[in-house]
């Protein structure tokens, strides 16, 4: 039996290196301290997983990944892309919103994609989402961080799924933890992950 850990995927490594570069860190800064391995916080861990999930996105404009977690166990993941059985924008190299120069956050009815949060909710058993946490991370086309704050429709779905907390990555790479989804706009607190 092979006991060696599998090497991380090239995409995951590229995303991780881009993330570290954006934050001005060397590859060893987060994992080593005086020769000792430092474990990431749960929030950092699940945000990193959301970043890797985003690599499956089929959107031409932005890649998002989402992870629903309960009791430190992954319940479901989702990424933004066309519904099952539909042609992906990536495969036909066409985005109606991009062609019409629609700004981010507007005219979602023109978009073929299902959001990462929506896909994670659709794929999760309802009883496991109650009081869970959803983690959201995204990247722009140029691999810079995208704003991870859920849109209004996703916030409604998160609320209806009875997910208790939202943790997302902002455009500057910082992490935001929002308690009550209904008060996301005015009850946010930014924090350094523990």
């Amino acid at each position: 039996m092979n006991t060696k850990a599998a090497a991380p995927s090239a995409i995951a490594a590229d995303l991780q290196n881009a993330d570290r570069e954006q934050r001005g860190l060397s590859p060893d800064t987060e994992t080593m301290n005086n020769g000792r391995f430092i474990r990431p916080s749960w929030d950092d861990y699940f945000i990193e997983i959301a970043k890797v999930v985003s690599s499956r996105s089929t959107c031409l404009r932005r890649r998002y990944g989402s992870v629903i977690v309960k009791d430190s166990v992954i319940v479901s993941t989702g990424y933004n892309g066309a519904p099952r059985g539909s042609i992906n924008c990536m495969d036909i190299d066409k985005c109606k919103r991009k062609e019409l120069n629609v700004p981010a956050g507007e005219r979602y009815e023109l978009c073929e994609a299902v959001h990462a949060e929506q896909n994670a909710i659709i794929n999760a058993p309802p009883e496991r989402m109650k009081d869970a946490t959803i983690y959201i991370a995204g990247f722009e086309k140029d691999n810079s961080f995208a704003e991870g704050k859920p849109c209004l429709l996703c916030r409604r779905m998160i609320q209806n799924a009875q997910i208790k907390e939202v943790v997302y990555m902002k455009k500057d790479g910082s992490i935001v933890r929002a308690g009550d989804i209904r008060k996301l706009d005015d009850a946010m607190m930014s924090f350094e992950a523990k």
Side-chain angles (χ1 to χ4, degrees), residues 87-111:
I87 297 172
N88 294 314
C89 297
M90 180 182 276
D91 293 339
I92 60 173
D93 198 31
K94 183 178 178 182
C95 171
K96 190 167 192 165
R97 290 178 72 229
K98 185 177 176 181
E99 288 174 356
L100 297 172
N101 292 315
V102 176
E106 296 179 17
R107 305 288 316 270
Y108 284 126
E109 74 276 6
L110 298 174
C111 184

Side-chain angles (χ1 to χ4, degrees), residues 54 56-60 62-63 79-82 88-91:
S54 77
R56 290 286 306 152
S57 170
T58 61
C59 181
L60 294 172
R62 285 173 201 85
R63 299 179 319 276
Y79 55 86
N80 58 321
N88 294 314
C89 297
M90 180 182 276
D91 293 339

Side-chain angles (χ1 to χ4, degrees), residues 148-164:
K149 180 178 173 183
C151 72
L152 183 58
L153 180 58
C154 287
R155 281 183 253 170
R156 290 176 185 153
M157 291 182 74
I158 290 166
Q159 181 181 351
N160 221 31
Q162 299 180 39
I163 293 171
K164 185 177 183 179

Side-chain angles (χ1 to χ4, degrees), residues 5-192:
S9 73
I11 292 171
D14 287 346
L15 289 173
Q16 192 172 37
N17 288 334
D19 176 34
R20 286 187 175 129
E21 279 179 32
Q22 257 189 332
R23 293 191 285 163
L25 302 173
S26 69
D28 295 334
T29 303
E30 293 181 345
T31 57
M32 299 295 286
N33 183 9
N34 295 327
R36 295 189 56 184
F37 178 74
I38 299 171
R39 293 176 69 193
S41 70
W42 285 115
D43 285 339
D44 283 340
Y45 176 70
F46 290 121
I47 282 288
E48 287 299 319
I49 292 171
K51 289 177 186 177
V52 173
V53 172
S54 77
S55 68
R56 290 286 306 152
S57 170
T58 61
C59 181
L60 294 172
R61 296 179 103 184
R62 285 173 201 85
R63 299 179 319 276
Y64 283 97
S66 182
V67 182
I68 297 174
V69 176
K70 186 169 185 177
D71 300 325
S72 300
V73 175
I74 295 173
V75 173
S76 179
T77 65
Y79 55 86
N80 58 321
R84 290 181 182 106
S86 295
I87 297 172
N88 294 314
C89 297
M90 180 182 276
D91 293 339
I92 60 173
D93 198 31
K94 183 178 178 182
C95 171
K96 190 167 192 165
R97 290 178 72 229
K98 185 177 176 181
E99 288 174 356
L100 297 172
N101 292 315
V102 176
E106 296 179 17
R107 305 288 316 270
Y108 284 126
E109 74 276 6
L110 298 174
C111 184
E112 284 291 322
V114 177
H115 290 189
E117 305 94 314
Q118 295 168 355
N119 273 320
I121 290 168
I122 290 165
N123 292 320
E127 68 280 0
R128 292 289 294 145
M129 288 188 285
K130 185 174 182 178
D131 297 327
T133 301
I134 189 166
Y135 292 84
I136 307 156
F139 295 92
E140 299 287 347
K141 188 174 182 175
D142 66 0
N143 286 331
S144 63
F145 297 134
E147 181 62 38
K149 180 178 173 183
C151 72
L152 183 58
L153 180 58
C154 287
R155 281 183 253 170
R156 290 176 185 153
M157 291 182 74
I158 290 166
Q159 181 181 351
N160 221 31
Q162 299 180 39
I163 293 171
K164 185 177 183 179
E165 291 186 298
V166 177
V167 178
Y168 66 91
M169 191 176 66
K170 291 179 66 170
K171 201 165 182 62
D172 65 4
S174 63
I175 297 172
V176 173
R177 176 178 284 276
D180 187 343
I181 190 69
R182 294 169 296 180
K183 298 178 183 174
L184 187 62
D185 289 325
D186 43 71
M188 297 182 309
M189 67 175 194
S190 186
F191 75 105
E192 285 294 315

